[in-house]
Amino acid sequence: MAASSRAQVLDLYRAMLRESKRFSSYNYRTYAVRRIRDAFRENKNVKDPVEIQTLVNKAKRDLEVIRRQ
Amino acid sequence: MGNPTPTPSSRSDPASPCAYLTSLAASVAQLYVSHGKRRGGRSRPDESLPDRREALPGAWGPGLQPLRKVGSASGTMLLRAAWRRAAVAVTAAPGPKPAAPTRGLRLRVGDHAPQSAVTADTTAAPEAGPVLRPLYMDVQATTPLDPRVLDAMLPYLINYYGNPHSRTHAYGWESEAAMERARQQVASLIGADPREIIFTSGATESNNIAIKGVARFYRSRKKHLITTQTEHKCVLDSCRSLEAEGFQVTYLPVQKSGIIDLKELEAAIQPDTSLVSVMTVNNEIGVKQPIAEIGQICSSRKVYFHTDAAQAVGKIPLNVNDMKIDLMSISGHKIYGPKGVGAIYIRRRPRVRVEALQSGGGQERGMRSGTVPTPLVVGLGAACEVAQQEMEYDHKRISKLAERLIQNIMKSLPDVVMNGDPEHHYPGCINLSFAYVEGESLLMALKDVALSSGSACTSASLEPSYVLRAIGTDEDLAHSSIRFGIGRFTTEEEVDYTVEKCIQHVKRLREMSPLWEMVQDGIDLKSIKWTQH
């Protein structure tokens, strides 16, 4: 499944960090960057592809949320 | 590219503020890289403005658009900074140079780092940037909206604006679906059934419904209520109004740690007690009451147990069935949700009967009439869901930051007391008393950190908080207490900055205090005989 490949996940991670830096409020900005980094780091050893896909979908939804802010 | 013509605001008025303005405008005009027409200010004919201050916004207005397209954020920031400096120059006493702005708001650590590098070399004055706001360390008073909550609320504020009680059209149906989904989210956070959640306008209303509603329903047989001395004002006030109706209320004292004595509670329960109300986490000192044990006692004695969990929901794990809670109050704006919404949990098995306070169309099972505000409850539901996901991460982080704050302050300053039990304590609410320092003056000195001494509800009065008095702190220590709140969005830099400023100002204030001098000399303050004048 292309969406859950390593490159895709890294692209998602970079996109999320890039979008998070656009928050105008200091607190939201630092929280978003920190939370995204910690969440990806925490899940880096997940092996089950179904779970990976769920996490990736959730991350994509969160990316949309950040984009809309 | 279709840029509108920039109208330079600079008129060639020889008065000094405007001379400054023209020079400013000239430097700003140099940023119009893409625009061919250079209309330098000085070449325009002399036009005196009726009121320079009013002309400024309009005059700068059209000029904003091209800059935004040219220089992105740095350009806008530069213009904003330029406008502010110009406004200062106009409104301040006329002089050749603007005074360095001494507004006292500190540059936030690590804030606007990329932009400040750009602005530094293109403007004359060193200070450039948007208005800086104090650090927010008062999360017990209220919390900022989580961006995910705002995102969930937006559709219901813009497009899906129907009344959830309209049964005849799609607007009503979709609002109702959203409301029910929010109810499910709130219920799953506390381990309840969605039918047991009633939406209200906040924890104050929930507390009123719980206490007055239960007491009045069982009025014929049970006339006694039990609560503690450290409850929130709305609980104490509800009890006081019930006393005026003929009920008896026992206000249990708390120990020095802030926790109630379970044996005293058992002794206080009478055969005609209908309700026990104890808050889960105190909003001023952060102590966690032993809710599970109290629930056990109450259910064995067949007394209803209400807890005001406004500060605890979403922060510590709560389960109404494990803890045998019959009624619980939830507040939206304490868990990164919107203000103006809350909920009450009313147990159905065994059924708790509550007399409705608000009469009307019978919404919310007849317990709380009135249109349910869909965007707000959707926000509350989203906040509860986010809190459930983030609870562990937040708790770990907040504990670490709280440890850091307390350790750093305690090791640099002597005579600092933490109010409240250090073990049964929610880490995000830290109440410290600095001896020989006046609390209000410390708060004013820490003007770039938003803190409070005591709860927001009681901060208008000058007397020390009743919670601190209930845990037995001395009058002078009660006056010098500050409450630090650490939340989901607090950063390490903010905590470090707060600690540093706190230490600095406490040392400074203690230097000025004659009591401190006497203590340093070894005099025992309690032995002093103050003379009467």
Side-chain angles (χ1 to χ4, degrees):
Chain A
M1 286 186 285
S4 46
S5 76
R6 179 186 159 80
Q8 300 284 349
V9 169
L10 285 177
D11 272 344
L12 193 57
Y13 179 57
R14 256 194 300 271
M16 287 181 87
L17 284 181
R18 207 169 37 230
E19 292 294 326
S20 305
K21 300 220 166 81
R22 284 179 49 229
F23 270 118
S24 56
S25 149
Y26 166 77
N27 289 97
Y28 289 156
R29 197 168 54 235
T30 46
Y31 174 74
V33 166
R34 180 178 54 228
R35 189 72 187 93
I36 291 167
R37 209 180 42 226
D38 287 344
F40 273 81
R41 206 159 281 175
E42 191 186 318
N43 291 326
K44 77 179 171 187
N45 293 323
V46 171
K47 292 281 178 275
D48 175 25
V50 172
E51 206 183 324
I52 294 178
Q53 191 59 36
T54 329
L55 291 169
V56 164
N57 289 340
K58 182 167 179 312
K60 284 196 177 130
R61 277 199 301 271
D62 286 341
L63 175 60
E64 288 305 310
V65 169
I66 302 177
R67 280 215 173 107
R68 278 193 284 261
Q69 295 284 331
Chain B
M1 220 162 104
N3 286 350
T5 312
T7 51
S9 63
S10 48
R11 320 281 177 165
S12 46
D13 188 332
S16 52
C18 253
Y20 174 68
L21 278 177
T22 56
S23 61
L24 207 58
S27 66
V28 168
Q30 287 176 15
L31 287 175
Y32 289 174
V33 177
S34 61
H35 207 85
K37 291 191 219 159
R38 288 278 310 268
R39 287 147 139 266
R42 282 168 240 261
S43 58
R44 293 232 46 243
D46 194 59
E47 281 175 90
S48 59
L49 306 170
D51 182 2
R52 259 174 257 127
R53 257 169 285 177
E54 267 164 30
L56 268 176
W60 283 116
L64 277 174
Q65 272 79 12
L67 265 188
R68 208 165 264 151
K69 286 176 186 144
V70 169
S72 74
S74 59
T76 335
M77 295 241 326
L78 172 62
L79 194 57
R80 250 185 285 158
W83 176 24
R84 193 161 308 100
R85 228 173 302 115
V88 166
V90 166
T91 55
K97 271 195 298 201
T102 49
R103 270 171 262 135
L105 287 177
R106 300 235 137 224
L107 186 62
R108 208 85 56 71
V109 177
D111 206 358
H112 308 296
Q115 286 100 336
S116 53
V118 176
T119 52
D121 41 10
T122 44
T123 52
E127 185 254 24
V131 177
L132 301 170
R133 297 164 59 74
L135 306 183
Y136 192 72
M137 301 282 293
D138 197 18
V139 282
Q140 274 71 38
T142 185
T143 53
L145 261 190
D146 193 293
R148 292 164 278 201
V149 169
L150 177 63
D151 192 74
M153 285 169 70
L154 274 177
Y156 297 95
L157 287 165
I158 301 175
N159 288 322
Y160 304 119
Y161 47 80
N163 184 325
H165 311 292
S166 307
R167 298 198 167 272
T168 54
H169 49 71
Y171 286 97
W173 302 328
E174 64 203 6
S175 287
E176 189 180 358
M179 182 179 80
E180 293 307 318
R181 198 168 44 240
R183 213 187 289 273
Q184 172 61 46
Q185 286 166 326
V186 175
S188 75
L189 177 62
I190 57 175
D193 189 86
R195 289 170 300 176
E196 297 170 318
I197 304 283
I198 309 277
F199 290 118
T200 60
S201 69
T204 302
E205 187 184 343
S206 301
N207 283 333
N208 271 270
I209 292 178
I211 295 175
K212 292 182 182 162
V214 169
R216 287 177 188 159
F217 190 87
Y218 295 101
R219 189 205 307 261
S220 51
R221 286 178 293 136
K222 305 211 173 185
K223 289 225 145 211
H224 182 233
L225 294 130
I226 300 179
T227 183
T228 68
Q229 288 176 0
T230 54
E231 290 294 307
H232 195 261
K233 263 283 166 71
C234 58
V235 170
L236 295 177
D237 214 52
S238 304
C239 292
R240 200 170 320 132
S241 77
L242 284 178
E243 278 182 329
E245 287 180 24
F247 288 84
Q248 281 149 351
V249 183
T250 305
Y251 299 93
L252 285 178
V254 290
Q255 300 164 25
K256 276 208 85 80
S257 57
I259 304 185
I260 65 167
D261 189 345
L262 292 172
K263 299 204 188 38
E264 275 192 35
L265 171 65
E266 281 194 75
I269 296 181
Q270 297 167 12
D272 69 337
T273 304
S274 57
L275 184 70
V276 168
S277 174
V278 179
M279 73 194 321
T280 319
V281 170
N282 190 287
N283 55 326
E284 287 195 37
I285 53 182
V287 289
K288 282 200 297 211
Q289 302 286 355
I291 295 295
E293 285 85 4
I294 300 176
Q296 192 63 39
I297 295 174
C298 290
S299 78
S300 63
R301 303 283 292 267
K302 299 278 192 292
V303 176
Y304 290 131
F305 177 38
H306 162 252
T307 180
D308 176 4
Q311 296 284 349
V313 166
K315 299 183 182 157
I316 56 173
L318 287 174
N319 188 304
V320 290
N321 291 317
D322 295 342
M323 300 179 170
K324 302 211 178 6
I325 298 171
D326 297 307
L327 296 127
M328 184 197 275
S329 308
I330 298 166
S331 171
H333 70 112
K334 303 282 167 35
I335 51 173
Y336 311 94
K339 293 182 191 36
V341 72
I344 180 169
Y345 159 77
I346 304 180
R347 184 179 280 279
R348 288 181 89 233
R349 303 249 180 103
R351 191 176 285 267
V352 177
R353 305 298 300 274
V354 169
E355 192 184 275
L357 258 62
Q358 193 154 312
S359 325
Q363 285 87 0
E364 296 291 289
R365 300 176 189 279
M367 307 237 209
R368 200 262 178 191
S369 304
T371 304
V372 171
T374 317
L376 295 177
V377 305
V378 164
L380 176 62
C384 287
E385 186 171 339
V386 169
Q388 196 168 12
Q389 290 164 2
E390 303 279 333
M391 204 189 297
E392 202 188 306
Y393 177 83
D394 281 345
H395 193 266
K396 219 165 27 189
R397 209 170 146 271
I398 291 175
S399 309
K400 210 167 48 132
L401 286 176
E403 243 338 277
R404 194 187 173 99
L405 188 138
I406 298 179
Q407 291 302 329
N408 288 349
I409 289 187
M410 295 263 191
K411 78 169 186 251
S412 316
L413 290 174
D415 296 311
V416 176
V417 176
M418 181 164 116
N419 299 311
D421 188 295
E423 223 183 276
H424 297 102
H425 182 251
Y426 172 63
C429 173
I430 302 165
N431 193 308
L432 297 174
S433 279
F434 301 94
Y436 319 113
V437 169
E438 225 277 310
E440 290 296 327
S441 46
L442 183 57
L443 275 184
M444 284 196 292
L446 290 168
K447 55 185 178 303
D448 20 324
V449 185
L451 288 168
S452 92
S453 68
S455 71
C457 326
T458 57
S459 60
S461 66
L462 283 178
E463 44 169 77
S465 107
Y466 60 90
V467 174
L468 291 175
R469 212 175 312 129
I471 63 173
T473 38
D474 298 330
E475 280 287 316
D476 42 351
L477 274 185
H479 271 291
S480 50
S481 71
I482 307 280
R483 176 184 71 187
F484 298 88
I486 301 181
R488 185 184 290 168
F489 298 106
T490 316
T491 61
E492 245 180 56
E493 286 94 357
E494 286 180 332
V495 168
D496 288 340
Y497 182 83
T498 307
V499 164
E500 181 196 319
K501 286 289 142 183
C502 191
I503 293 174
Q504 180 191 343
H505 287 290
V506 166
K507 282 193 172 141
R508 186 179 62 86
L509 287 168
R510 278 180 175 170
E511 296 288 307
M512 295 197 282
S513 157
L515 288 179
W516 177 245
E517 274 177 46
M518 290 201 267
V519 165
Q520 301 290 69
D521 291 337
I523 304 173
D524 175 22
L525 290 183
K526 304 244 187 288
S527 65
I528 298 174
K529 292 222 176 344
W530 301 103
T531 58
Q532 304 276 17
H533 287 280

